[in-house]
Amino acid sequence: MTYAAPVSELRFLLEHVAGLDRVAGTERFAEATPDMVDAILTEAARMCDEVLAPLNRKGDADPARLENGVVRTPEGFGDGWRAISEGGWIGISASPEHGGLGLPMLLTTAVNDMMSGACLALQLAPLMSQGQIEALEAHASDEIKALYLPKLVSGEWSGTMNLTEPQAGSDVGALRTRAEPRGDGTYAVTGQKIYITWGDTDFAENVCHLVLARLPGAPEGTKGISLFVVPKYLPDAEGRPGERNTLKVVSLEHKLGLHGSPTAVMEYEGATGWLVGRENGGMAAMFTMMNNARLGVGTQGIGVAEAAFQQAAAWARDRKQGKAAGTGAIVEHADVKRMLATMRAETFAARAIALMCAGAIDMETATGSAAQAARAALLTPIAKAFGTETGIAAADTGIQVHGGMGFVEETGAAQFLRDVRVTAIYEGTNGIQAMDLVGRKMKDGGEAAFALTDEICEGAEAAKSSAPDLAHAVYEAAETLREATEALVAADLEARFAVAVPYLRAFALVLGGHAHLAAAVHGDAARLRLAEFYIRTILPEHASLLAGVSEGAAVLALEAGELAA
Amino acid sequence: MTYAAPVSELRFLLEHVAGLDRVAGTERFAEATPDMVDAILTEAARMCDEVLAPLNRKGDADPARLENGVVRTPEGFGDGWRAISEGGWIGISASPEHGGLGLPMLLTTAVNDMMSGACLALQLAPLMSQGQIEALEAHASDEIKALYLPKLVSGEWSGTMNLTEPQAGSDVGALRTRAEPRGDGTYAVTGQKIYITWGDTDFAENVCHLVLARLPGAPEGTKGISLFVVPKYLPDAEGRPGERNTLKVVSLEHKLGLHGSPTAVMEYEGATGWLVGRENGGMAAMFTMMNNARLGVGTQGIGVAEAAFQQAAAWARDRKQGKAAGTGAIVEHADVKRMLATMRAETFAARAIALMCAGAIDMETATGSAAQAARAALLTPIAKAFGTETGIAAADTGIQVHGGMGFVEETGAAQFLRDVRVTAIYEGTNGIQAMDLVGRKMKDGGEAAFALTDEICEGAEAAKSSAPDLAHAVYEAAETLREATEALVAADLEARFAVAVPYLRAFALVLGGHAHLAAAVHGDAARLRLAEFYIRTILPEHASLLAGVSEGAAVLALEAGELAA
């Protein structure tokens, strides 16, 4: 299968939905001119198509493995990593002070989307570095920044995030890893961490672990957690990798997918680390890294949805079967059209949401706007959960389009599902995203949500003259969402949590309606037809989801003992 | 994980939804007394729990393989097959004349459900035999019946179905395998067949292939297809396996799941076969086998949904995390409750539909009722598609309940998804089921659908006094379904096909509402709570699905060329 990075789709959304012009209108991002954006997208697309995409199946068939304590990555992954590094794609949004391009998160998101579609298992590696770069930029001392950031941005070194422990999964506050101050500014870090993505590589000369741990006497729970940078090799006086640190990969997980990406159990045995940020301030630093990573993971789902769509569409175009009209290929069958259109329309919606989120982050960065910060915070869990849900749904539908061949591994259709499935779990499960949306992100009484709903309604008003029926449907959906939000913020937290997942999905569907309406107005006839399809057949799901939202009591009435019986 | 066959759930549905008493009230099935049913369920459950369930993970880790042309099955599968055979579970509904138990399809369905939950990869083998037994009972000559049926029913021999060829997947009419009459009553069968489930075993002394092929000069398409029985070993004068037939397993597929089950590419090289049914009448015989198999496959989905639920529920009960109330286990979290309740409530609905379908088949068998035949025909595609969809959804949700451990293969959660995924594809993809529902099964102008809708409304009327709100919701949903059906039967076939999948799902959801309402009326407090949850939060989806059903034009307007671009 040949992957072709969706440059024109991204360009359309950047221009008509995500507000690239507004971002490029700020002083901070004045460099993001249309020409620059075109150049970035085109160059990144070429690398994705030519270098990364051919690695995708290889990484699945030739998994990363642990040999005598050393991780061996699939053939070609090292070349892929170097292409990503040399293109500057790790540090697109990193500060130029440390070698980054200083460009908007809109572009990081677009390029991450393309890299994820081309080879998800490898793309996880730069994604981890990006999160680490952001965390260090925001929280580390100047000394640490000066030492680590140029290496991470250039791809000479790679980065990881170490949160989870066997007894502490989603409940980070339960972690037990200890950090003892040595009195020389360093700390001795001891403990076991699990699910460490790209916990080691054989293509970066050093691996920098950001590790959450407890200082002696730290308060219990999340208030007693600090963040440390713990490199595989201790930098020498010149900042080059020196002595081996006392940390190791104990084992790699045997996973459903992402076989090319080593997921490590890490053991720290008095390993030398340096504090990042303030003592007991680890959660704040972690959230910087995680918010970035959450948008990044949502984008992974979208990238895989795109790749799954492309492969299914190519199959449907080539596969002759039955009495289909036209070419005789199965793409002419109404139900196959429906499947492909669903994949494409939902991917468009999810991509629009991720880019809207990135645009809000950029406006916050450029202007310090509190409203944009709130918008970004609100959209992050939606982008993460809906992006990954869309990736899973598209991969699943892609299998179905292939018929029997979808179940045979050689086709590659099943790999998309196996790979993308975890995106709904890591960086906070989608359930946790939904709880974040209805809890933390609505501590403002729904203000950010209502502001966004207002904008959707304004967009619908503006679209009335050119697409009256579609505009009406989107307007009504936004109003239904507003009513549900009002009911939600009036409810207590447990009741909100009970309906958080369907509420988040409904919110995403309405945002998708907003994006498709823009496509109907600004796009060509094909975009209009897809918008009609989405708004008439997919958007209606919001109503039944929101009908359920008022029924939190039916969930809470369930007795755990009965369900676990 | 310990699987416990859902005997009480099955008993409840047999009694309160599927009409076991009515079936047992017929002369034909008078033996199916409550005591007999209890004995069957209990004994089959014991075998599933003790013999089959322990094989499930083994079959995944130790796949069936081809060694020097011979298929080797996973360790223990032979013992499992013998336990199934000796229990009489292959021929529960087969005629006593050939060693079967002659019991209702209701019981075959219940036992297939339990066997599928215990070990899907192995259960496929008896399912194939069951389909073959039905086809031979209905279409074969007395001579063939007398020779083959006792062997198939006893499990000495196993059966397969050979439809698909590389160029002919869902489009069976395109097949090319030839059968040349030899003039001695036998035929020389030549061709290649793919996706042959349990194409060979090392535990049955013979393997009987039912093969679709074309006679010389046969009409094109499905009207020129005939059915042949082609055994691996030619029976000798005493009916024992004799000379090796000229057929072989060329290769086994490398599949997403069901690793324990060998899926073969079969080569027939002038293999000796015997005609089953009349010349060019193969499709009719095939449909007998496939209708049976379709209900069986829907039941597979339900069995896996049950197993995935049990495993996720056990995990959620044991897994301590965060600040959950009560035991501190994650099952106390509202969103985990919502996930488990969704799995359980949808499984209940899907199981009810499969058993309603089986009950209609039994009433047709016992009374020859045309209305019951139409009911069975209508329910078969719904049972197949919704049962398998439910299996996939439950397996997917089960992974999510496990969090990160769901992505790690050792847990077994991911295997359920890998195994069950193909059930939405084989025996006619779910898209084909939906087209069958809105096409062939509505050639009666919707009569059977309206009759069923009437019954749902009657059920709701009767439930009004004990559960007024729930009864009202189900009644309204049935009325919405009726309106959508009226619109559907008025539309042309292409427009129906465009919305067939959402229509089928909506139909299933309403049927599920009917079943849950019965549970609310006849069940205990736990069943009432689950019915509340289903009817208030899951059933509403029917409305958005049916809203989309009137929008077939939006699908048909899509241009294939654009989707495949």
Side-chain angles (χ1 to χ4, degrees), chain A residues 170-171 195 254 256 309 317 321-322 337 344 396 400 405 407 409 421 424 529 544 557-558 562-564, chain B residues 170-171 195 254 256 309 317 321-322 344 396 400 405 407 409 421 424 529 544 557-558 562-564:
Chain A
S170 298
D171 180 19
Y195 301 148
H254 173 218
L256 174 61
F309 166 76
R317 188 185 54 226
Q321 187 98 148
K337 276 194 202 175
R344 186 148 201 184
D396 184 75
Q400 197 68 17
M405 283 305 287
F407 197 63
E409 287 286 5
R421 183 62 188 82
R529 276 191 284 272
S544 53
L558 295 164
E562 286 162 13
L563 289 171
Chain B
S170 298
D171 179 19
Y195 302 150
H254 172 219
L256 173 63
F309 166 77
R317 187 185 55 225
Q321 186 99 146
R344 187 149 201 181
D396 184 75
Q400 196 67 16
M405 284 304 288
F407 197 63
E409 286 286 5
R421 183 62 187 80
R529 277 190 284 273
S544 54
L558 295 164
E562 287 160 15
L563 289 171

Side-chain angles (χ1 to χ4, degrees), chain A residues 524-543:
Chain A
D524 60 9
R527 289 201 189 281
L528 174 61
R529 276 191 284 272
L530 196 68
E532 294 254 2
F533 172 77
Y534 179 91
I535 292 171
R536 293 187 192 283
T537 76
I538 296 178
L539 179 59
E541 192 192 339
H542 82 277

Side-chain angles (χ1 to χ4, degrees), chain A residues 499-517:
Chain A
V499 295
V501 166
Y503 174 78
L504 183 149
R505 179 167 173 83
F507 206 138
L509 290 174
V510 175
L511 286 165
H514 172 66
H516 274 288
L517 189 55

Side-chain angles (χ1 to χ4, degrees), chain B residues 37 50 83 150 158 173 306 311 366 376 378 401 503 516 545 560:
Chain B
V37 169
E50 294 173 8
S158 66
E306 174 72 38
Q311 168 151 342
L378 182 80
V401 170
Y503 174 79
H516 274 288
L545 291 166

Side-chain angles (χ1 to χ4, degrees), chain A residues 52-317:
Chain A
L52 303 191
L55 300 173
N56 195 44
R57 298 282 299 138
K58 286 187 196 169
D60 190 58
D62 171 27
R65 55 200 188 282
L66 188 64
E67 285 178 358
N68 305 319
V70 178
V71 166
R72 300 288 175 206
T73 61
E75 195 193 326
F77 270 39
D79 297 331
W81 171 262
R82 278 181 288 279
I84 294 167
S85 303
E86 287 161 14
W89 309 126
I90 298 173
I92 306 173
S93 296
S95 165
E97 197 183 336
H98 304 114
L101 300 178
L103 288 166
M105 189 56 66
L106 279 173
L107 286 176
T108 292
T109 301
V111 174
N112 281 351
D113 179 336
M114 298 192 280
M115 292 197 291
S116 303
C119 183
L120 190 68
L122 177 56
Q123 187 270 343
L124 266 168
L127 185 69
M128 293 298 104
S129 289
Q130 286 171 358
Q132 181 158 143
I133 289 165
E134 258 204 30
L136 294 180
E137 281 183 346
H139 301 282
S141 66
D142 289 342
E143 208 181 336
I144 289 180
K145 282 186 197 173
L147 175 57
Y148 287 86
L149 285 173
K151 303 286 195 183
L152 289 164
V153 169
S154 68
E156 289 165 87
W157 297 3
S158 67
T160 78
M161 296 163 62
N162 288 239
L163 290 77
T164 308
E165 299 180 8
Q167 81 293 347
S170 298
D171 180 19
V172 175
L175 68 85
R176 290 180 197 145
T177 296
R178 308 185 314 275
E180 305 270 347
R182 291 218 186 93
D184 62 353
T186 70
Y187 294 79
V189 176
T190 303
Q192 196 182 71
K193 294 286 180 178
I194 61 170
Y195 301 148
I196 308 310
T197 298
W198 281 100
D200 196 15
T201 84
D202 52 5
F203 50 63
E205 65 172 29
N206 205 355
V207 182
C208 306
H209 303 284
L210 277 184
V211 182
L212 286 182
R214 293 185 179 286
L215 292 167
E220 282 193 11
T222 54
K223 287 178 185 165
I225 294 175
S226 307
L227 184 65
F228 300 86
V229 59
V230 187
K232 176 177 170 185
Y233 295 104
L234 299 172
D236 65 17
E238 284 79 41
R240 290 176 309 213
E243 191 188 339
R244 186 74 159 82
N245 208 347
T246 50
L247 59 89
K248 67 178 182 209
V249 174
V250 178
S251 61
L252 299 184
E253 302 292 355
H254 173 218
K255 308 190 299 292
L256 174 61
L258 293 179
H259 296 161
S261 156
T263 302
V265 175
M266 301 290 305
E267 188 83 44
Y268 295 87
E269 297 165 312
T272 299
W274 287 265
L275 184 68
V276 174
R278 57 178 187 76
E279 289 188 1
N280 300 328
M283 283 307 283
M286 212 63 221
F287 270 114
T288 302
M289 187 150 80
M290 275 177 43
N291 267 328
N292 176 306
R294 284 175 175 185
L295 172 56
V297 169
T299 303
Q300 291 189 319
I302 296 159
V304 175
E306 174 72 38
F309 166 76
Q310 289 189 17
Q311 168 150 344
W315 171 268
R317 188 185 54 226

Side-chain angles (χ1 to χ4, degrees), chain A residues 210-561:
Chain A
L210 277 184
V211 182
L212 286 182
R214 293 185 179 286
L215 292 167
E220 282 193 11
T222 54
K223 287 178 185 165
I225 294 175
S226 307
L227 184 65
F228 300 86
V229 59
V230 187
K232 176 177 170 185
Y233 295 104
L234 299 172
D236 65 17
E238 284 79 41
R240 290 176 309 213
E243 191 188 339
R244 186 74 159 82
N245 208 347
T246 50
L247 59 89
K248 67 178 182 209
V249 174
V250 178
S251 61
L252 299 184
E253 302 292 355
H254 173 218
K255 308 190 299 292
L256 174 61
L258 293 179
H259 296 161
S261 156
T263 302
V265 175
M266 301 290 305
E267 188 83 44
Y268 295 87
E269 297 165 312
T272 299
W274 287 265
L275 184 68
V276 174
R278 57 178 187 76
E279 289 188 1
N280 300 328
M283 283 307 283
M286 212 63 221
F287 270 114
T288 302
M289 187 150 80
M290 275 177 43
N291 267 328
N292 176 306
R294 284 175 175 185
L295 172 56
V297 169
T299 303
Q300 291 189 319
I302 296 159
V304 175
E306 174 72 38
F309 166 76
Q310 289 189 17
Q311 168 150 344
W315 171 268
R317 188 185 54 226
D318 293 345
R319 174 78 172 161
K320 308 278 190 264
Q321 187 98 148
K323 300 180 201 73
T327 61
I330 63 168
V331 69
E332 307 281 354
H333 285 292
D335 188 54
V336 175
K337 276 194 202 175
R338 186 192 58 77
M339 288 193 278
L340 291 173
T342 302
M343 295 166 84
R344 186 148 201 184
E346 291 190 352
T347 303
F348 182 85
R351 185 172 273 145
I353 293 168
L355 291 172
M356 286 170 72
C357 181
I361 292 170
D362 289 329
M363 291 306 292
E364 176 197 357
T365 306
T367 69
S369 155
Q372 290 293 332
R375 162 84 43 106
L378 181 80
L379 285 173
T380 296
I382 303 177
K384 195 276 182 181
F386 188 66
T388 58
E389 230 177 63
T390 298
I392 294 167
D396 184 75
T397 305
I399 291 175
Q400 197 68 17
V401 170
H402 281 77
M405 283 305 287
F407 197 63
V408 173
E409 287 286 5
E410 280 71 11
T411 329
Q415 187 193 337
F416 291 126
L417 181 62
R418 288 191 290 97
D419 285 354
V420 80
R421 183 62 188 82
V422 73
T423 62
I425 296 171
Y426 60 29
E427 296 310 328
T429 65
N430 285 4
I432 284 175
Q433 303 302 321
M435 287 189 267
D436 179 46
L437 175 66
V438 302
R440 187 187 297 262
K441 303 302 168 62
M442 296 221 171
K443 278 190 174 160
D444 64 357
E447 194 183 326
F450 293 130
L452 191 51
T453 312
D454 288 344
E455 265 187 46
I456 299 171
C457 289
E458 285 158 25
E461 285 287 351
K464 249 187 184 168
S465 55
S466 49
D469 290 357
L470 300 183
H472 179 73
V474 172
Y475 190 96
E476 290 294 311
E479 285 301 321
T480 306
L481 175 65
R482 186 196 307 279
E483 284 161 28
T485 306
E486 283 164 358
L488 197 78
V489 294
D492 68 30
L493 214 51
E494 269 301 289
R496 293 188 204 182
F497 286 169
V499 295
V501 166
Y503 174 78
L504 183 149
R505 179 167 173 83
F507 206 138
L509 290 174
V510 175
L511 286 165
H514 172 66
H516 274 288
L517 189 55
V521 172
H522 301 290
D524 60 9
R527 289 201 189 281
L528 174 61
R529 276 191 284 272
L530 196 68
E532 294 254 2
F533 172 77
Y534 179 91
I535 292 171
R536 293 187 192 283
T537 76
I538 296 178
L539 179 59
E541 192 192 339
H542 82 277
S544 53
L545 291 165
L546 294 176
V549 161
S550 58
E551 301 290 352
V555 179
L556 296 176
L558 295 164
E559 297 199 0

